Amino acid sequence: MSDWEIWLTIAVLAIATAATRSSFWLVGHHINIPKRVQEMLRYAPACALAAIVAPDLMLVNGSPLLDLSNIKLLAGIVATIFYLLRRNMLQTILFGMGFYTLLRLMHVF
C-alpha cells in the first residue's frame, strides 16, 4: 500500500468509529429500546469477556486441551470457585494469578 492509501484507510476507519460511537449520543434519546433488549444488553460485557478469556484458557498451542495438565484451565476453574465463595473480583484476580504462578513454578521443576 502506498502512503496515501494508508492515510485514507486510517481516516475512513476514524470516521466510521466516530460515527458508530457517537450515534447513540446524538440520537439516543429519540430511540426507545424495548425493555427485553435492555435486559439482554446487561449481559453483553460478561459475554464479551468470556469470549476473550475462554479460548486463552482452553487452547494450548492452538489446539484444545481440556484436562488437568492445562494449568491455565485449572487456574481458571480454581479462580471461578474462589469467586463463587468470596464474591470479590479483586481478590479473585489476585488469587487466580497467584495460583497460576504457583502452578507454573511447580510445572517447571
Side-chain angles (χ1 to χ4, degrees):
M1 291 180 77
S2 65
D3 286 346
W4 73 270
E5 290 174 319
I6 293 172
W7 283 108
L8 179 64
T9 303
I10 291 171
V12 169
L13 289 174
I15 291 168
T17 301
T20 56
R21 290 181 181 245
S22 65
S23 63
F24 285 106
W25 181 66
L26 295 173
V27 295
H29 58 282
H30 297 296
I31 298 173
N32 292 329
I33 298 175
K35 184 89 169 147
R36 184 163 171 89
V37 174
Q38 286 179 351
E39 290 173 4
M40 289 188 299
L41 286 175
R42 285 185 35 213
Y43 299 103
C47 291
L49 182 61
I52 293 169
V53 172
D56 189 47
L57 294 179
M58 295 180 191
L59 298 177
V60 174
N61 297 326
S63 60
L65 181 60
L66 302 176
D67 60 11
L68 295 179
S69 66
N70 182 351
I71 61 175
K72 286 183 184 179
L73 181 60
L74 185 59
I77 292 169
V78 171
T80 301
I81 293 169
F82 181 86
Y83 177 77
L84 293 173
L85 295 174
R86 300 296 300 260
R87 300 288 181 180
N88 186 313
M89 187 57 69
L90 181 59
Q91 287 179 0
T92 302
I93 292 169
L94 294 174
F95 178 80
M97 289 307 297
F99 189 78
Y100 174 66
T101 302
L102 180 68
L103 287 176
R104 274 188 35 213
L105 292 174
M106 289 173 43
H107 191 261
V108 170
F109 296 112

